[in-house]
Amino acid sequence: MRRQVWQEYITQMQEDTARRKEWKMRELAYGDVVMKFRMTVKGSAGANGYPLYLALHGGGFGITPDLNNQQWNNMGVYYLGGVQNGIYLSPRGIRDRWNTHFQKESYLLYDRMIEDAIAYEHADPNRVYILGFSAGGDGVYGIAPRMADRFAAANMSAGHPNDICMENMYRLPIQLQVGALDHFYGRNKITPAYGKYLDELQARYGGFEHNVFVHWQKPHNFRDNHPEFEKQTVYADPIAWLENGDETTVTADTNAISFLDRHMRTPLPARVIWNLSVRAPLRETQSFYWLSMPESVQEGRVIASYDRASNTIVLEEASAKGPLTILVNEEMLDFDRPVTVTDGEKTICRRLTPDRTLLEKTTRERGDMHFQFCAKIEWMLS
């Protein structure tokens, strides 16, 4: 049934002439906002489709539209040399502001861009990557935690996190890079500090795979895009450099594409950490992996896991308040046996029945064959 519903969705997308026209024109519109993008396709798709790279340009605050356009044009080729096979998309920030890549309308348009690439260009939804430099690095910080379920890996270069919470990155590997002499906004200090923050999250929860490169004697610009993957000089221990001034250096492959290509998304992870204070506004989905809560819930955390062997879902932690929907398909649990859900105090046990209407709804909602769900369990968090 899932495959049939997916084929029906793809047929509908192919027949949507207005949406196909937008894609062909490389201009995605929402209200009076338009996100332009450039696209280059290299190599062949393969059985599961092309890898998809979303590359975010620099510029932003205090920059004229002409200079931002120049930065956008540059990003159209900046990382391209490292791509051996894939779809390389470079979106134009929708407004000339410091947060040009994560304006409130941007998230919905990134979703649409990814969905269109899947439907029209045979992109592999499990190999969607996000990367960016300078203001584009700011964008990676802003977007990746809010849309972590969309991506397989992320590379942030020469940007600033602006105090973003990284808890939603539990299943999303990220590489952080900065020049050691990039003092503006303290980027050279905050980047390894965020590496330490990720270390702490990893020690507490597991997961949170990450790399940090502080480029030796480099200012704002450095090589994170060498087309032959030539190794660059970086500090051996970025945190020791930050805290103790340790100048020991090593050479490393800092090519962003090289890091991204080593990863593939797990769309239905057995464990999810969702901090509800880090949500993308205006998205048409209220879901994160296989959990869903109304967009009105903007604080608190949910940690949930499932186990197919025992056919059990456990709510390990739930400081968020409100109705939680647990979305399920046959890859996650055995529908021929009762499913148990527990939060340690309350437990329910029930059989799940596939619902075609829900399957169609979740297919349309995210346009991703791996986020098709045919059953749900409602749970009130209080």
Side-chain angles (χ1 to χ4, degrees):
M1 184 166 61
R2 286 174 59 194
R3 181 174 296 181
Q4 180 183 352
V5 169
W6 177 252
Q7 289 303 320
E8 291 171 357
Y9 164 79
I10 290 296
T11 299
Q12 292 167 4
M13 287 288 286
Q14 295 294 336
E15 294 174 350
D16 190 334
T17 55
R19 189 155 175 174
R20 284 179 63 87
K21 182 179 179 180
E22 270 197 335
W23 181 255
K24 185 176 180 180
M25 296 295 292
R26 310 290 190 251
E27 294 184 355
L28 306 184
Y30 176 74
D32 60 354
V33 170
V34 175
M35 179 179 284
K36 299 180 180 181
F37 64 95
R38 304 192 188 284
M39 183 176 77
T40 301
V41 180
K42 297 178 72 172
S44 57
N48 296 317
Y50 288 102
L52 173 62
Y53 306 89
L54 269 59
L56 308 181
H57 65 81
F61 178 71
I63 304 297
T64 65
D66 285 346
L67 286 175
N68 261 331
N69 285 333
Q70 183 184 58
Q71 292 291 311
W72 176 41
N73 290 334
N74 181 54
M75 189 50 68
V77 297
Y78 182 80
Y79 291 109
L80 186 59
V83 176
Q84 306 301 309
N85 188 74
I87 302 166
Y88 183 83
L89 290 181
S90 51
R92 172 44 162 101
I94 61 175
R95 296 187 181 93
D96 297 309
R97 299 178 182 173
W98 73 271
N99 56 346
T100 182
H101 293 296
F102 51 110
Q103 297 283 293
K104 64 180 182 179
E105 299 92 344
S106 299
Y107 302 97
L108 176 145
L109 294 172
Y110 293 131
D111 272 328
R112 191 186 303 172
M113 185 175 292
I114 294 167
E115 291 162 14
D116 287 359
I118 294 168
Y120 302 139
E121 304 295 338
H122 195 31
D124 181 350
N126 283 335
R127 291 188 296 165
V128 180
Y129 307 102
I130 187 167
L131 65 166
F133 200 101
S134 192
D138 293 358
V140 171
Y141 273 126
I143 298 160
R146 293 183 171 97
M147 298 178 63
D149 55 345
R150 276 292 192 189
F151 303 110
N155 180 91
M156 188 298 304
S157 292
H160 194 286
N162 299 291
D163 298 320
I164 188 77
C165 172
M166 301 292 276
E167 290 182 2
N168 293 344
M169 301 289 287
Y170 174 63
R171 296 293 306 185
L172 178 58
I174 188 168
Q175 182 164 269
L176 309 179
Q177 305 199 53
V178 73
L181 305 181
D182 190 0
H183 302 289
F184 203 43
Y185 297 117
R187 284 182 290 233
N188 59 339
K189 305 296 185 182
I190 194 65
T191 303
Y194 254 61
K196 183 177 181 179
Y197 168 35
L198 288 167
D199 286 345
E200 293 166 351
L201 289 173
Q202 187 176 63
R204 181 176 178 184
Y205 296 111
F208 293 101
E209 180 184 341
H210 60 283
N211 281 345
V212 182
F213 291 133
V214 177
H215 289 250
W216 179 70
Q217 292 189 343
K218 295 295 183 182
H220 187 55
N221 295 308
F222 51 85
R223 292 308 299 267
D224 67 340
N225 65 338
H226 199 286
E228 284 81 40
F229 308 100
E230 183 177 294
K231 292 185 176 181
Q232 306 294 304
T233 303
V234 297
Y235 286 111
D237 186 336
I239 297 173
W241 170 78
L242 173 68
E243 296 181 345
N244 306 314
D246 187 339
E247 296 282 337
T248 306
T249 61
V250 296
T251 59
D253 175 10
T254 65
N255 183 287
I257 301 296
S258 180
F259 173 77
L260 300 179
D261 282 350
R262 294 197 292 270
H263 298 92
M264 182 175 290
R265 182 186 67 165
T266 301
L268 302 173
R271 190 184 192 212
V272 171
I273 298 176
W274 189 13
N275 188 308
L276 278 298
S277 70
V278 186
R279 302 191 74 169
L282 298 183
R283 293 184 80 186
E284 293 181 349
T285 179
Q286 299 177 10
S287 303
F288 185 70
Y289 293 106
W290 44 272
L291 299 176
S292 182
M293 293 195 77
E295 61 185 353
S296 58
V297 181
Q298 296 284 327
E299 59 184 26
R301 182 192 299 110
V302 177
I303 302 177
S305 59
Y306 70 86
D307 178 66
R308 187 178 178 87
S310 61
N311 235 30
T312 300
I313 298 169
V314 178
L315 300 177
E316 302 175 29
E317 179 183 330
S319 57
K321 309 300 181 186
L324 171 70
T325 300
I326 302 167
L327 298 164
V328 183
N329 65 28
E330 299 93 331
E331 291 183 42
M332 299 166 62
L333 298 170
D334 183 356
F335 282 33
D336 292 330
R337 296 185 289 147
V339 172
T340 299
V341 185
T342 183
D343 63 5
E345 296 182 358
K346 181 175 68 174
T347 299
I348 63 171
C349 187
R350 67 176 59 163
R351 288 188 177 273
L352 301 179
T353 302
D355 180 348
R356 184 184 175 92
T357 299
L358 178 63
L359 181 60
E360 293 172 347
K361 177 180 181 293
T362 56
T363 301
R364 291 191 304 269
E365 189 176 77
R366 286 194 269 184
D368 185 328
M369 68 191 74
H370 302 287
F371 287 145
Q372 294 180 279
F373 301 98
C374 60
K376 63 182 180 179
I377 301 166
E378 305 287 358
W379 194 275
M380 179 59 67
L381 301 178
S382 57

